[in-house]
Amino acid sequence: GVPDAARTWMQREPFEAFLQDRTVPGGADGQPGTLLLWRSGNGLAQHAAVTLGGGWALHKPAQTWWTPRTVLSVPELKTATRTRGWRLERRMLT
């Protein structure tokens, strides 16, 4: 629902506005469309991925344009993204 989102460099403020306006806490690792969001200790979003269902998730491990998008099992993704001081929250579209 965001015009030209695929070609727009997403900065922190628009992403946080999207989360505030279009998502609510909830979802589950096995449910398609759950947004997995990792936040640092100061509350800033550091990484995000989306579940595809069946225990799989889509993510892009870096913000460089050449980084491929990958599909990992949700447990693999959570292990790969584990960082001291980060916490994982789950959100879903409203």
Side-chain angles (χ1 to χ4, degrees), residues 2-10 69:
V2 178
D4 208 31
R7 291 182 292 281
T8 301
W9 179 262
M10 187 52 64
R69 285 102 178 132

Side-chain angles (χ1 to χ4, degrees), residues 1 12-13 17 26 30 40-41 47 49 55-57 59 62-64 73 78 81 84 86-87 91:
R12 190 171 311 277
E13 293 80 10
S40 56
H47 186 67
W56 297 96
H59 89 120
Q63 292 187 5
T64 55
S73 72
K78 291 186 334 189
T81 310
R84 181 179 299 272
W86 287 12
R87 63 180 166 75
R91 301 189 68 85

Side-chain angles (χ1 to χ4, degrees), residues 6-55:
R7 291 182 292 281
T8 301
W9 179 262
M10 187 52 64
Q11 299 295 319
R12 190 171 311 277
E13 293 80 10
F15 183 64
E16 289 292 346
F18 163 80
L19 292 173
Q20 182 68 33
D21 295 343
R22 303 282 306 273
T23 69
V24 293
D29 292 355
Q31 176 183 358
T34 298
L35 177 66
L36 304 174
L37 180 66
W38 286 263
R39 291 189 182 276
S40 56
N42 60 5
L44 297 176
Q46 299 297 331
H47 186 67
V50 65
T51 59
L52 301 171

